[in-house]
Amino acid sequence: MIADFLEFDFLRHTFFTGLLIGLIAPLLGAFIVVRRLSLIADALSHVTLAGIAFGLFLEKKVLGAIITPFYSGLTFSVIGSIFIEKLRTVYKDYQELAIPIILSGGVGLSVIFISLANGFNTDIFNYLFGSASAISQKDFFTIIVISIIILFSIGLFYKELMTLSFDEEHATVSGIHSKRIHLLFIVLTALVIAASIRIVGVLLVSALMTLPVAASMRLARGFKQMIILSIIFGEAAVITGLISGYYLSMPPGGTIVVVSIIILLLSISVKRFNFKRGELEK
Amino acid sequence: MSKPIITMSNINYAYDNKKVLKDINFEVPRGSFMGLIGPNGGGKTTLIKLIVRLLKPDNGSIQLFGEAIEKYHKWNKIGFVSQKSNSFNKGFPATVFEVVSMGLTAKIGYFKFLTKKHKNKVLHAIDQVGMLDYAYQNIGNLSGGQQQRVFISRALVSDPELLILDEPTVGVDYENVKRFYELLHELNEKRDITLLLVTHDTGTMTEHATDIVCLNQTLHFHGKPEEYTSLSEAELSRFYGHPVNVITHDH
């Protein structure tokens, strides 16, 4: 079954892109979930959609557009992330307020650009729900670069990110530059979202960042173990989702999320089973 | 005599228009075990937050280890266990080892990793608070008293010279409070760590501290525990702004 994916160029790009996002999405998702910022991924994915719509509009209406939807989405996502950070400092006591502001802003802009580009078409549908055949070679290389940046940054700032996520006050008092680390983190999130959207789609990208983490959280002992398990679950979901989506002619976003939910349900029942067994042994 | 570890001069602080601290002047001498007591809303936590730079005073100056706080940067010399440690995110899946290692993050510095030496240090700090058996348990599964020990261990791992604890025994049962104070004495006497402990539990404090400071917007008392306990009810009532019944603790 996997043979098709390795034989055809466009599928091979999709497959390896899938492997990369199955790694970086849950990796960053682990930090997002423990910081209770799961909805930020949603807000940013909608801003990315606005960027993509803007890119599609340019492609259609302005001849010889230099910027493809992927790059305009990426740019919007990063700008949106910086904007969220700003809003969170303005509304210190209502940090979650930044999320609906950015989310509705993203949807509003998307609608405007989509209608300017003469309404919905298959391109937009692919961006909303993901597509297995949409990765160009250029996109693929950009995603490789993004993945390297993510892995490098998380590796380098792992202890600072973990310390900040666990207890922000303690981190600040001990002399960590929380604001800078925070900004770095949110920009990385924006990059991951922009990279993942081609395959999982705008509406489901946050699922790939949070569901594997939700599943591993119940089983892992310690933060590092949780991250490793999340990545394993993320990869399992992406590989099964991509292949089944391709053979069933369904957008991979849907199949990847369904597989993630199955993994989540399994992890909940495994935990319950272990718990019951433990009770009996007592 | 060596320089005091903390010097506060003419400190004023107000939240919006509500004055919380008025003309505070005090010093924490090296090697002391200072108990900061006072009624709720008297500004104890605010004072601590000024020292660890979570808040900035409206006026006045603070010196840490003889250096102005604005220029001070050796924050690893100061261990801080906040009141909030009692209500941290319990769902965070970190092991005791991971939590304590976070106490080294700033000291190790950017672009550097936890080495074998650091790991041994972390284990040693966990051992110091008697939690070695739980080193690889998730922090969320421990009791309140055990968690408190872990947070002290996190503060100790960077070898601080000053340890600041804000209401550390809230929600900890009596037996563990006793063990906790034994630990503090050991740190104070054997490791020469200066302690600044905030509490509303006046009775226990007068038993353990070497110096007592009583704060209710202004400093009402600064002296030895014996002097504090010999104060009359009338004098105490003046400090607290309402009548006080002295309850003797005879555990």
Side-chain angles (χ1 to χ4, degrees):
Chain A
M1 266 170 80
I2 210 163
D4 273 4
F5 275 86
L6 299 175
E7 194 178 340
F8 300 111
D9 256 1
F10 73 100
L11 280 179
R12 200 167 54 217
H13 290 150
T14 307
F15 188 71
F16 286 117
T17 304
L19 288 185
L20 287 174
I21 65 170
L23 170 70
I24 58 175
L27 173 65
L28 221 70
F31 292 96
I32 291 181
V33 170
V34 294
R35 307 193 67 177
R36 307 186 173 201
L37 295 175
S38 303
L39 287 171
I40 275 196
D42 263 316
L44 282 178
S45 71
H46 285 81
V47 174
T48 314
L49 177 66
I52 288 166
F54 180 65
L56 288 173
F57 159 70
L58 284 185
E59 234 175 25
K60 225 169 183 183
K61 300 287 170 175
V62 185
L63 290 171
I66 353 128
I67 178 164
T68 66
F70 176 77
Y71 289 103
S72 57
L74 185 68
T75 316
F76 271 55
S77 184
V78 171
I79 294 172
S81 70
I82 294 168
F83 210 61
I84 285 187
E85 246 343 83
K86 258 274 69 73
L87 281 172
R88 271 158 51 88
T89 41
V90 174
Y91 294 101
K92 260 194 175 142
D93 297 323
Y94 298 94
Q95 298 212 346
E96 75 284 358
L97 201 55
I99 293 166
I101 294 173
I102 295 291
L103 195 141
S104 53
V107 174
L109 283 175
S110 309
V111 170
I112 290 173
F113 289 130
I114 289 169
S115 63
L116 282 177
N118 290 340
F120 273 93
N121 52 29
T122 38
D123 271 354
I124 274 289
F125 184 85
N126 283 344
Y127 278 110
L128 284 178
F129 300 106
S131 156
S133 55
I135 312 288
S136 71
Q137 189 164 20
K138 208 172 149 202
D139 291 351
F140 176 56
F141 286 130
T142 313
I143 291 166
I144 291 179
V145 172
I146 290 178
S147 304
I148 292 171
I149 294 174
I150 302 285
L151 291 175
F152 201 66
S153 312
I154 298 272
L156 224 46
F157 293 101
Y158 175 78
K159 66 182 192 312
E160 281 83 7
L161 282 167
M162 177 172 76
T163 308
L164 199 63
S165 307
F166 181 70
D167 186 342
E168 192 158 349
E169 189 181 272
H170 165 255
T172 312
V173 169
S174 69
I176 292 169
H177 296 104
S178 341
K179 272 197 181 147
R180 289 179 215 171
I181 299 290
H182 217 94
L183 186 66
L184 170 81
F185 168 73
I186 199 96
V187 171
L188 292 180
T189 308
L191 290 177
V192 169
I193 288 170
S196 312
I197 264 179
R198 260 319 208 174
I199 288 187
V200 258
V202 170
L203 298 176
L204 301 170
V205 64
S206 71
L208 186 60
M209 301 186 87
T210 53
L211 289 180
V213 183
S216 63
M217 205 172 209
R218 302 189 49 90
L219 306 172
R221 194 180 272 190
F223 191 60
K224 204 173 243 170
Q225 209 181 77
M226 185 185 86
I227 290 180
I228 294 167
L229 262 184
S230 304
I231 292 171
I232 294 172
F233 290 161
E235 292 289 7
V238 167
I239 294 169
T240 0
L242 263 183
I243 293 174
S244 58
Y246 173 72
Y247 286 103
L248 298 168
S249 310
M250 289 171 183
T255 46
I256 289 172
V257 170
V258 170
V259 176
S260 305
I261 288 182
I262 292 171
I263 293 173
L264 178 69
L265 292 177
L266 283 175
S267 85
I268 293 174
S269 50
V270 163
K271 181 88 180 187
R272 183 159 296 166
F273 176 70
N274 273 347
F275 180 68
K276 272 190 182 153
R277 207 174 49 180
E279 287 287 274
L280 285 177
E281 279 166 8
K282 270 183 192 170
Chain B
M1 210 180 125
S2 62
K3 276 182 191 154
I5 291 209
I6 304 171
T7 313
M8 296 186 110
S9 331
N10 305 314
I11 294 293
N12 283 280
Y13 188 83
Y15 288 105
D16 296 322
N17 287 319
K18 196 175 168 286
K19 262 213 167 225
V20 198
L21 295 174
K22 270 184 245 166
D23 294 320
I24 305 290
N25 286 290
F26 91 113
E27 286 181 352
V28 177
R30 188 176 284 273
S32 61
F33 181 166
M34 184 165 280
L36 180 58
I37 57 176
N40 288 330
K44 301 187 297 283
T45 299
T46 306
L47 189 83
I48 296 301
K49 284 190 172 168
L50 289 171
I51 298 171
V52 295
R53 199 190 38 159
L54 283 170
L55 295 173
K56 267 201 180 110
D58 296 337
N59 47 48
S61 68
I62 303 174
Q63 290 194 321
L64 299 170
F65 297 91
E67 220 177 303
I69 194 167
E70 296 80 13
K71 288 183 191 154
Y72 190 76
H73 61 273
K74 290 178 196 140
W75 291 100
N76 59 291
K77 277 168 118 180
I78 301 175
F80 176 52
V81 182
S82 81
Q83 209 171 354
K84 254 177 69 190
S85 306
N86 293 316
S87 56
F88 76 107
N89 176 7
K90 287 201 179 191
F92 194 106
T95 59
V96 168
F97 183 90
E98 283 176 321
V99 173
V100 175
S101 75
M102 293 181 207
L104 283 175
T105 302
K107 190 177 186 178
I108 296 173
Y110 294 108
F111 311 116
K112 288 186 194 124
F113 301 97
L114 222 63
T115 61
K116 181 96 188 153
K117 210 177 105 197
H118 294 129
K119 285 176 187 166
N120 287 335
K121 223 175 155 73
V122 171
L123 288 173
H124 178 70
I126 298 173
D127 192 25
Q128 232 176 353
V129 297
M131 289 294 293
L132 206 52
D133 290 346
Y134 300 89
Y136 299 102
Q137 295 277 331
N138 276 355
I139 178 105
N141 297 338
L142 304 180
S143 74
Q146 291 171 323
Q147 285 172 353
Q148 201 57 28
R149 288 178 161 254
V150 174
F151 290 122
I152 291 168
S153 168
R154 178 181 68 176
L156 288 177
V157 72
S158 64
D159 293 322
E161 290 175 34
L162 167 68
L163 192 58
I164 302 174
L165 307 124
D166 191 0
E167 299 277 7
T169 53
V170 170
V172 180
D173 57 76
Y174 172 69
E175 202 44 46
N176 278 311
V177 169
K178 223 174 98 185
R179 285 176 62 194
F180 173 71
Y181 277 104
E182 280 165 17
L183 172 68
L184 290 187
H185 275 297
E186 197 186 303
L187 294 173
N188 184 232
E189 283 152 24
K190 291 200 186 131
R191 286 193 44 194
D192 205 24
I193 296 177
T194 308
L195 297 174
L196 176 59
L197 194 147
V198 175
T199 179
H200 61 270
D201 186 1
T202 317
T204 356
M205 212 55 254
T206 47
E207 255 174 66
H208 296 281
T210 59
D211 296 82
I212 297 274
V213 168
C214 180
L215 180 73
N216 189 7
Q217 292 194 5
T218 57
L219 274 194
H220 284 281
F221 175 86
H222 187 175
K224 296 287 162 197
E226 311 84 76
E227 294 164 16
Y228 183 83
T229 43
S230 65
L231 292 170
S232 66
E233 279 189 24
E235 282 170 302
L236 283 175
S237 303
R238 200 161 49 79
F239 296 162
Y240 281 85
H242 59 77
V244 172
N245 296 316
V246 178
I247 301 161
T248 40
H249 284 247
D250 38 13
H251 305 303

